[in-house]
Amino acid sequence: MKLNKFFAIGGALLGFSLTACVGDLDLEPNDPNYGNATDYEAVLAKCYSGMAVSGQDGPGSSDISGLDNGRGQYTRALFMMNEFPTDECLWIWKDEGVYDICTNSFDASNGNIYGTYSRLYSHIAVCNDFIKSAKESADPAVQDMVLQARALRAMSYYWVVDIFGMGSFITEEAAVGENPVQKSRYDLYTWLKNELEDIVGQFKNSSYPVAYGHVGLDGAQALLARLYLNAGVYTDNRETAWAECQKNCEEIIARHKGGGFKGSGLANHYLYLFCRDNRDYMPGGANTAENEILWGLSFDNYYTRSYGGANFIICASISNGTLADDGYSMSASQYGMVNLWTCMHGRKEFFDKFSNADLRQSMWLKEDAGFSKENTEFSKFNNGYATIKFTNLLKGTDGGWSPLNGGVYGSGDPNTQDWPDTDLPLIRLADVYLMYTECFIMGNTGDQAKALEYVSYVTERAGLRAWVEGDLTEANILDERARELYWELTRRSDLIRHDKYTGGSYLWSWKGDVAEGNSISDRYKLMPIPVNIISAQPEFKQNPGY
């Protein structure tokens, strides 16, 4: 099923007005009169579109009020929370509240944090309604859709646990009009662990293939592995789950081995995972031997236009400029796009992790194009390398990585667009390989030979050497995750898990609102519960330090 044709139908059938976070948790269905599986498909599409677009009336609309429709889009909001406060990313425009996130100086009144909380819970509310309406159906196809909706909801609750710790909690079991309760981080983690275990178990027994743009067993089990990877953080070390993480990783790997890079199931070309026709690597994609994207969101130049998703990452990273006029040389058309925002790059300490031999930085523009490594001037675009990862380029036919040729990686016709067709990966198989190796290093569990084999698939694809026993250190696996997964929503939790996010043991440019970096308080390991939420339900508690 192609989801895009159902987006508008789904919104109409649900009949919701999503205007505020607290109210969103208490939505009452508008009796869509389901008749058959096709009717349910249309409504399920709203559960998917809530993660891809801001609203149902084009990119300028939004299902939630009180925040710019771009910054309020699901994955862009998550990007702000997970990348902006870290060494991987710098948003150079001093938009309201965004500068505070980039410099780790935010508080509980930050509107972008409230917008993220609201977006997550509005999505949970829509999923709750679909699950409640569909779970009694006797049609097995509808029950498969219920599993998908539960997985989508689980993703949103995962981000609540990861970003906010404590959070509002309500499921389809709640009566109409019932208020959400606030659960502790440990209780939310425990519920989510059990929920995902059940979802994974049921997907294993499902005979339905995963359609393009949908989530299935691989995506749900990868999310469970990621939850287990962070168990120590989420439970304040009451539980660790290194072995459980590895077990789920091994099951995923076993299903994918055989094709792709050295038989690993990884895509043969890293950059092809982030280009215009990366749909081939998605669940249900054409390249079944290299379906590396275990869970992704589909985007389309016509049907799914968004100021978030891949469009946000691409446009923010590119510009038009000449050395003579702007001090740097860059052309947006070389990345398959017309639109350009000129506002985002990485930070010096992130750039330092890469060697020139690393193919994952092969599209960056550096000193010879007028860009510097240093971030001495916060709002200057070329104070920082032009960090290109996502593009709207075609992957071409010759397997080439560079040079760029009229909007393609290899050979082909140039094609620039206002909106990209590039899909957005949420969890990839490469992450699964790295999780296994990290569990060996941090939890002293599993097999050393496998740990080396799995991480080496990732490094060798990037043009680097295979790892040897001496490479299996905490510092190395943290840096390798940065190189492989940058701008894929993992960096903040990775730094926290390795105790490198707060304090002063690791500094990066503009950490703590100081150009050379400064120590920050441990309270920043969690985002604050927004003041709007506590005002609406005064019995809710605030995270420590805010």
Side-chain angles (χ1 to χ4, degrees):
M1 183 180 70
K2 289 280 285 185
L3 283 172
N4 49 37
K5 66 182 179 181
F6 290 116
F7 284 170
I9 303 172
L13 285 176
L14 282 167
F16 290 146
S17 177
L18 308 181
T19 56
C21 175
V22 176
D24 288 350
L25 297 174
D26 185 28
L27 294 175
E28 185 172 357
N30 190 28
D31 187 17
N33 296 315
Y34 299 105
N36 52 42
T38 301
D39 294 332
Y40 284 102
E41 286 177 350
V43 183
L44 177 65
K46 173 61 181 175
C47 300
Y48 279 99
S49 70
M51 301 174 82
V53 297
S54 299
Q56 300 303 303
D57 297 315
S61 65
S62 181
D63 288 339
I64 61 174
S65 62
L67 187 67
D68 170 83
N69 53 66
R71 280 181 277 152
Q73 188 270 342
Y74 188 97
T75 57
R76 182 170 170 184
L78 292 176
F79 196 101
M80 283 194 293
M81 301 299 105
N82 290 290
E83 300 293 348
F84 281 6
T86 77
D87 59 343
E88 285 191 354
C89 190
L90 194 63
W91 181 268
I92 68 172
W93 293 350
K94 295 186 178 181
D95 297 331
E96 183 179 1
V98 176
Y99 178 88
D100 302 329
I101 295 173
C102 288
T103 57
N104 320 92
S105 56
F106 50 82
D107 59 27
S109 65
N110 189 289
N112 302 285
I113 296 173
Y114 176 57
T116 302
Y117 194 98
S118 300
R119 176 58 71 182
L120 291 172
Y121 279 105
S122 67
H123 182 248
I124 288 167
V126 171
C127 293
N128 278 342
D129 181 69
F130 176 82
I131 296 165
K132 185 172 187 175
S133 301
K135 68 179 183 179
E136 301 302 328
S137 171
D139 188 337
V142 174
Q143 290 310 304
D144 184 74
M145 296 179 211
V146 171
L147 270 184
Q148 294 178 54
R150 288 174 63 193
L152 295 170
R153 179 180 66 180
M155 172 68 87
S156 286
Y157 268 123
Y158 169 82
W159 289 118
V160 173
V161 173
D162 184 75
I163 297 169
F164 296 100
M166 294 188 295
S168 306
F169 181 77
I170 198 164
T171 70
E172 80 283 359
E173 300 292 339
V176 172
E178 183 177 344
N179 283 332
V181 297
Q182 188 181 48
K183 281 188 177 289
S184 70
R185 193 181 209 183
Y186 181 81
D187 288 343
L188 279 177
Y189 165 84
T190 301
W191 175 85
L192 183 56
K193 173 183 67 175
N194 294 331
E195 175 75 353
L196 279 168
E197 287 279 10
D198 186 65
I199 292 168
V200 168
Q202 292 197 45
F203 268 135
K204 286 179 179 178
N205 295 322
S206 174
S207 59
Y208 287 90
V210 182
Y212 166 67
H214 289 225
V215 62
L217 174 58
D218 284 337
Q221 193 164 20
L223 180 61
L224 177 60
R226 189 178 282 181
L227 182 74
Y228 279 138
L229 182 73
N230 291 287
V233 174
Y234 298 160
T235 67
D236 197 22
N237 290 317
R238 292 162 70 178
E239 296 180 19
T240 56
W242 304 112
E244 291 86 347
C245 178
Q246 276 189 333
K247 172 181 175 291
N248 284 279
C249 289
E250 286 220 85
E251 290 183 8
I252 297 168
I253 289 167
R255 292 194 295 268
H256 283 263
K257 268 200 163 185
F261 181 77
K262 291 193 170 182
S264 66
L266 297 177
N268 278 301
H269 299 289
Y270 178 79
L271 292 179
Y272 287 7
L273 293 162
F274 311 99
C275 71
R276 181 181 170 188
D277 34 10
N278 64 346
R279 67 180 69 86
D280 291 347
Y281 307 102
M282 289 269 282
N287 193 344
T288 56
E290 302 176 44
N291 281 155
E292 179 175 341
I293 301 173
L294 306 179
W295 191 337
L297 298 178
S298 55
F299 287 88
D300 181 271
N301 176 48
Y302 179 78
Y303 290 106
T304 44
R305 296 178 172 182
S306 171
Y307 289 112
N311 182 60
F312 147 71
I313 301 176
I314 298 169
C315 291
S317 309
I318 61 177
S319 183
N320 285 332
T322 63
L323 284 171
D325 297 329
D326 301 286
Y328 60 86
S329 178
M330 192 178 196
S331 172
S333 64
Q334 285 289 290
Y335 306 99
M337 291 295 292
V338 172
N339 294 322
L340 53 97
W341 297 359
T342 318
C343 57
M344 189 168 76
H345 51 220
R347 309 196 199 203
K348 174 188 180 299
E349 294 72 20
F350 168 65
F351 301 140
D352 284 340
K353 300 182 190 306
F354 290 79
S355 71
N356 288 333
D358 196 322
L359 295 172
R360 294 168 296 195
Q361 56 85 57
S362 60
M363 292 188 66
W364 299 0
L365 298 184
K366 301 180 181 180
E367 283 84 0
D368 57 354
F371 293 84
S372 65
K373 183 187 292 187
E374 307 291 333
N375 307 116
T376 51
E377 294 185 57
F378 188 95
S379 295
K380 191 173 181 180
F381 182 60
N382 62 342
N383 263 212
Y385 291 154
T387 315
I388 307 300
K389 178 172 184 175
F390 288 82
T391 72
N392 194 41
L393 300 175
L394 298 167
K395 60 178 183 286
T397 58
D398 62 1
W401 291 71
S402 61
L404 299 181
N405 176 22
V408 297
Y409 285 112
S411 60
D413 296 325
N415 193 329
T416 57
Q417 297 177 171
D418 290 326
W419 304 91
D421 288 311
T422 308
D423 292 343
L424 188 72
L426 294 176
I427 309 180
R428 292 190 290 114
L429 182 61
D431 190 1
V432 173
Y433 278 120
L434 294 177
M435 283 194 279
Y436 182 98
T437 301
E438 180 173 338
C439 290
F440 176 82
I441 294 170
M442 303 302 297
N444 193 28
T445 185
D447 180 83
Q448 178 177 286
K450 286 183 177 178
L452 289 170
E453 174 192 357
Y454 292 169
V455 68
S456 294
Y457 285 140
V458 175
T459 60
E460 289 183 289
R461 180 178 64 174
L464 307 176
R465 65 170 175 82
W467 277 30
V468 297
E469 183 178 352
D471 294 321
L472 291 170
T473 69
E474 180 178 359
N476 283 345
I477 194 64
L478 179 61
D479 284 350
E480 184 54 35
R481 286 185 64 83
R483 287 186 287 265
E484 176 67 22
L485 302 172
Y486 73 92
W487 292 10
E488 294 184 61
L489 310 181
T490 66
R491 187 56 173 170
R492 179 180 162 275
S493 57
D494 286 351
L495 288 170
I496 290 171
R497 190 172 62 255
H498 291 271
D499 201 24
K500 296 295 184 183
Y501 183 63
T502 58
S505 63
Y506 175 46
L507 300 180
W508 56 83
S509 304
W510 296 102
K511 177 180 179 180
D513 201 16
V514 175
E516 63 273 16
N518 200 6
S519 175
I520 61 173
S521 167
D522 279 347
R523 72 172 176 267
Y524 292 114
K525 289 181 180 179
L526 288 171
M527 294 293 180
I529 306 301
V531 293
N532 313 58
I533 302 302
I534 294 177
S535 296
Q537 289 193 259
E539 72 275 17
F540 278 17
K541 296 179 180 179
Q542 180 57 273
N543 281 321
Y546 290 102

